Amino acid sequence: MAPATRAGGTAATSPSGDPPLLSVRDLAVTFRTRNGEVPAVREVSFDLARGEILGLVGESGSGKSTVLTALTRMLPRNAQVTAGHIGFDGTDLLGLREAGMRRLRGDRIGLIPQRPMTSLSPATPVGRQLRWHLDGLDDAGRLRELLGGVGLGAVLDRLDGYPFEFSGGQLQRLLIAVAALGKQPDLLLADEPTTTLDATVQAQVLRLLLELRDRVGLAMVFVTHDLGVISQISDRIGVMYAGRLVEIAPTRELFDAPRHPYTQALLEAIPGRYRRGEPLRTIPGTVTGANRLAGCPFAPRCAAAIDLCHEENPVTREVGTSLVGCHRAGEDL
Amino acid sequence: MSAISVEHLSKHYLIRSGRRGQDRLVHAVDGVSFEVPEGRTLAIIGESGCGKSTVARMLVRLAEPTAGRILVHGREETDRRTIQLVSQNPWSALNRRKTIRHALEQPLVVHGLHPGAAARAARVRELLELVGLTEDYLDRRPGGVSGGELQRVTVARALAVEPRVLVLDEPTASLDVSVKALLVNLLMDLQRRLGLSYVLITHELEIARHLADEVAVMYLGRFAETGDAEQVFSAPGHPYTRALLAAVPGPGREPAAPLQGEVPSAVAPPPGCRFHTRCPLAIDICAQTEPELRPGPDGRRVACLRQDELVLSPDPVDKETETR
Ligand SMILES: Nc1ncnc2c1ncn2[C@@H]1O[C@H](COP(=O)(O)OP(=O)(O)OP(=O)(O)O)[C@@H](O)[C@H]1O
Ligand SMILES: Nc1ncnc2c1ncn2[C@@H]1O[C@H](COP(=O)(O)OP(=O)(O)OP(=O)(O)O)[C@@H](O)[C@H]1O
Ligand SMILES: [Mg+2]
Ligand SMILES: [Mg+2]
């Protein structure tokens, strides 16, 4: 089930010559909290072509979910987009009126949120909520097809139940059925959509998403911590650290030749390579406070850091087919 | 004495009348038995919706068993401190109007641990540090932190009361590999130093393989296979276990073709072997006779009528690591 179109071109822009479906430039998002401002996303730029799948990985708290919610303009009230530009199929998303944005969310941009429970109403039967989101669901055949596609045929006769009557993975699949299959959007933003699924059901869902991409040209940003999953589904992979996109590269390239020291450390921490009971490798140090540093946010934990790294944040550079934000990118470390 | 001993545990949920106008039962858990020796780890793995969280909730008395018995350290009644749950859904486990400081201090207050504001504050700091967070987070509410940060708060909260047994329902699901490693190391360390016992529910088979002494493979409310973790992972016996292990993707490894057929409904579980509708090895008798968990020559127990014909073969995960 390898993706049909591995991206071949450079990492910054999409491989085809067509204008990208999604174009994000210098996106910055800040949260106000009691302890001051949290710059959760900074200077994030990437393009996405139609039918392309971009995987996003990165440290817990690095801003992945914030990027996705900013793209749908559903950030919480204490958040502010402080800079940047988001183009979606020629439309300036940040300048769009709320009504227009709502229309886009209705049928062209779908979101599978990280916390399935929060996007379902606890006091309304699940079946009724499905009908809110999808027209034409009174057609029993269509409902069977949607839910059967994500392995939920077994709960078809229980849809008058409330969300708490379903398992974590069942709820997550309901949302996948709505956002991906039901709406068939042009752009699907999927925030850890398979984390609560076992391997067999996960394989079924991934296959389905890839097939949807091949059939209707669905483009996708897919957030996950599972490097096995991301290697299967993505054309390109973006790596986030402390609010920044520190590396973005074609999938094969990222695994074969990780350029950023954080990416390298991430790949080394994969558990399958250790004996049972042996301590797993962590990346020493902590990310906390890194987004307020003057220099490179990874510098305090980086074995390759030099003085410059603590003073200046690196600009993103092209190395081979990768884009890397590291002062020492391209050097043999 | 075992930390946990469970006998013939079942949970059937009554659901209100549907279109057919009849109340029905969801057979979420159907007669499972297991033991967790003190200081050991049992991993429960299996298909989404097969009843793992229901077992977890019964262990900590958040759900009342329909039948069966649960003993914690040999007793049916235990105080809440002894056994703690890290819920699969951290979002619903915490009060979203209260701060994270409250979530961590409240159990200390309730159980009279670390009395005095200064001692409590110090303990809260220590707990946060264990899971890789800092005081920066204390005044935020659950809605104001990332998914993985919230998950770690619930782990810290469960540890706050110094339990003897932890039931961990997908504790590392939304953590990056480095923070995942931090948590795995923490769990191993606590077990080594304090002799904690764990029931670990996870879809991450590598984590299960790393932590578990024993593993139970669950399918549609029942155990399909139980045994020594290393044995089960390196040579899965039950056809469902094999399908599950074969479906794990990895960098450079294509997952096997997924299981054929629909997952059966827990309202009307299939007669005979519950897996027979999707089993590549099923024969006529599998649709009629329900297999019991039977011990095989290596001590591992498999619920399969064709158990004696099954040839144990190393799983693809092993082959992959050897050739790397
Ligand atoms: N509503 C909020 N108020 C204040 N800070 C917030 C809020 N939401 C998120 N944050 C902070 O912003 C940063 C980015 O959060 P985000 O949820 O985008 O991370 P993430 O990369 O999705 O992490 P995870 O992998 O753990 O889900 C984190 O440090 C988080 O604590
Ligand atoms: N309160 C309830 N009322 C009715 N049915 C329920 C209830 N809670 C769970 N169920 C059903 O019981 C079965 C087992 O659910 P459970 O949450 O234990 O599964 P799980 O193994 O934890 O799945 P997952 O891996 O997706 O979290 C599912 O079919 C679920 O829909
Ligand atoms: Mg997130
Ligand atoms: Mg569960």
Side-chain angles (χ1 to χ4, degrees):
Chain A
M1 59 179 226
T5 58
R6 285 267 181 224
T10 62
T13 49
S14 46
S16 64
D18 302 335
L21 176 70
L22 177 72
S23 160
V24 178
R25 286 290 169 277
D26 298 321
L27 183 67
V29 182
T30 300
F31 290 105
R32 286 182 310 276
T33 72
R34 270 204 235 171
N35 300 340
E37 306 217 315
V38 179
V41 171
R42 292 176 302 163
E43 294 171 41
V44 164
S45 302
F46 63 89
D47 283 345
L48 189 70
R50 267 171 221 287
E52 192 188 9
I53 300 178
L54 174 72
L56 266 192
V57 289
E59 185 107 353
S60 169
S62 60
K64 303 175 298 293
S65 301
T66 307
V67 167
L68 296 199
T69 29
L71 290 175
T72 56
R73 283 212 348 218
M74 301 217 290
L75 288 166
R77 255 175 298 155
N78 68 329
Q80 205 188 351
V81 176
T82 50
H85 178 267
I86 303 173
F88 173 74
D89 203 10
T91 309
D92 169 16
L93 278 197
L94 294 177
L96 199 62
R97 290 245 191 97
E98 185 49 37
M101 194 62 219
R102 212 173 307 129
R103 258 195 310 280
L104 279 184
R105 280 199 298 262
D107 56 43
R108 297 198 60 198
I109 303 180
L111 174 70
I112 303 172
Q114 187 173 7
R115 300 168 184 161
M117 269 311 223
T118 58
S119 50
L120 289 165
S121 149
T124 310
V126 162
R128 192 180 311 159
Q129 298 192 54
L130 288 179
R131 253 166 264 130
W132 286 345
H133 290 288
L134 302 169
D135 312 326
L137 254 201
D138 296 325
D139 176 354
R142 179 156 148 77
L143 192 61
R144 169 164 289 281
E145 185 189 312
L146 281 187
L147 297 191
V150 291
L152 279 183
V155 302
L156 266 172
D157 60 351
R158 281 168 53 193
L159 291 178
D160 48 356
Y162 295 93
F164 77 88
E165 295 176 303
F166 294 85
S167 83
Q170 288 169 338
L171 290 177
Q172 196 164 34
R173 283 180 278 160
L174 281 171
L175 292 178
I176 295 173
V178 170
L181 296 177
K183 300 194 173 174
Q184 301 207 348
D186 297 322
L187 173 63
L188 181 64
L189 306 169
D191 201 349
E192 303 196 25
T194 62
T195 41
T196 60
L197 304 180
D198 64 276
T200 52
V201 172
Q202 171 173 275
Q204 178 177 3
V205 167
L206 294 181
R207 194 172 282 253
L208 193 105
L209 291 174
L210 286 172
E211 182 205 295
L212 209 58
R213 181 272 288 279
D214 293 342
R215 195 156 48 83
V216 303
L218 172 79
M220 190 153 52
V221 182
F222 191 106
V223 175
T224 178
H225 291 298
D226 188 325
L227 297 171
V229 167
I230 209 165
S231 73
Q232 291 301 322
I233 193 155
S234 316
D235 300 308
R236 283 185 305 153
I237 296 177
V239 182
M240 288 193 71
Y241 187 84
R244 295 184 187 273
L245 198 52
V246 294
E247 177 160 3
I248 181 166
T251 300
R252 164 72 51 77
E253 183 79 7
L254 191 102
F255 280 97
D256 287 352
R259 315 266 180 192
H260 195 283
Y262 173 66
T263 314
Q264 292 165 356
L266 195 68
L267 296 185
E268 270 167 27
I270 298 180
R273 308 182 174 178
Y274 296 82
R275 304 226 146 272
R276 180 177 180 283
E278 184 184 23
L280 300 181
R281 175 100 129 257
T282 58
I283 303 173
T286 153
V287 68
T288 309
N291 44 14
R292 298 196 180 94
L293 296 177
C296 167
F298 191 59
R301 303 170 78 182
C302 181
I306 49 177
D307 287 349
L308 178 65
C309 302
H310 296 281
E311 289 151 17
E312 237 175 74
N313 189 60
V315 290
T316 308
R317 285 193 283 160
E318 231 173 274
V319 180
T321 50
S322 311
L323 268 181
V324 196
C326 173
H327 286 301
R328 306 196 62 188
E331 288 177 45
D332 225 356
L333 296 179
Chain B
M1 187 196 308
S2 291
I4 295 184
S5 157
V6 166
E7 290 164 23
H8 307 294
L9 189 64
S10 293
K11 178 71 189 179
H12 298 168
Y13 290 106
L14 184 70
I15 49 175
R16 292 151 308 100
S17 52
R19 271 163 296 147
R20 269 167 255 155
Q22 255 179 352
D23 285 352
R24 290 164 302 160
L25 288 178
V26 178
H27 298 242
V29 176
D30 242 350
V32 305
S33 305
F34 60 87
E35 303 262 331
V36 184
E38 223 176 323
R40 296 298 191 121
T41 302
L42 168 77
I44 305 180
I45 61 176
E47 186 145 47
S48 166
C50 71
K52 303 178 297 297
S53 297
T54 305
V55 170
R57 292 166 55 81
M58 287 192 283
L59 289 177
V60 298
R61 316 286 146 126
L62 280 174
E64 188 59 35
T66 309
R69 208 156 75 117
I70 301 171
L71 302 179
V72 178
H73 292 301
R75 298 172 30 178
E76 248 169 300
E77 294 298 320
T78 44
D79 75 286
R80 293 222 165 249
R81 253 187 81 185
T82 313
I83 180 164
Q84 286 280 316
L85 171 70
V86 174
S87 164
Q88 181 176 15
N89 182 358
W91 184 250
S92 64
L94 297 174
N95 185 335
R96 36 192 107 164
R97 297 216 175 79
K98 303 282 189 181
T99 60
I100 285 165
R101 181 193 307 280
H102 176 88
L104 295 176
E105 282 191 346
Q106 185 226 9
L108 299 179
V109 172
V110 168
H111 293 282
L113 301 167
H114 304 270
R120 255 198 314 274
R123 173 67 175 155
V124 164
R125 258 199 313 277
E126 182 183 49
L127 287 166
L128 280 174
E129 221 165 87
L130 283 178
V131 296
L133 296 174
T134 61
E135 288 173 284
D136 274 8
Y137 294 88
L138 284 177
D139 291 316
R140 297 202 213 155
R141 288 172 223 288
V145 300
S146 82
E149 289 162 351
L150 193 66
Q151 191 162 41
R152 286 181 273 163
V153 169
T154 60
V155 173
R157 181 178 148 97
L159 292 175
V161 299
E162 296 154 30
R164 303 289 308 147
V165 183
L166 271 182
V167 181
L168 302 143
D169 196 353
E170 301 285 354
T172 56
S174 46
L175 302 177
D176 65 88
V177 281
S178 173
V179 174
K180 219 177 275 238
L182 178 84
L183 215 67
V184 167
N185 293 346
L186 172 67
L187 291 173
M188 288 192 299
D189 182 55
L190 291 173
Q191 188 162 64
R192 210 168 293 142
R193 281 194 299 123
L194 308 171
L196 300 195
S197 314
Y198 301 134
V199 174
L200 170 70
I201 294 169
T202 183
H203 291 304
E204 296 173 280
L205 301 183
E206 285 180 336
I207 301 280
R209 189 170 194 164
H210 199 79
L211 286 176
D213 299 292
E214 299 259 315
V215 62
V217 185
M218 205 169 170
Y219 185 83
L220 212 60
R222 306 190 125 244
F223 284 168
E225 176 166 4
T226 65
D228 176 77
E230 206 37 58
Q231 264 174 12
V232 173
F233 282 118
S234 58
H238 196 282
Y240 172 66
T241 316
R242 294 180 182 190
L244 182 64
L245 297 190
V248 178
R253 184 177 62 238
E254 300 270 316
L259 281 171
Q260 296 300 307
E262 283 252 335
V263 187
S265 164
V267 172
C273 172
R274 294 197 169 182
F275 188 55
H276 87 262
T277 56
R278 302 166 78 198
C279 182
L281 303 177
I283 49 178
D284 289 349
I285 186 177
C286 300
Q288 290 142 27
T289 309
E290 176 143 15
E292 295 289 321
L293 275 175
R294 272 192 301 142
D298 56 359
R300 149 236 317 257
R301 302 190 304 155
V302 179
C304 176
L305 296 171
R306 302 191 65 188
Q307 184 183 355
D308 298 334
E309 302 161 61
L310 296 173
V311 184
L312 299 182
S313 61
D315 72 308
V317 178
D318 253 12
K319 269 185 237 144
E320 161 70 14
T321 29
E322 274 160 24
T323 54
R324 188 174 277 153

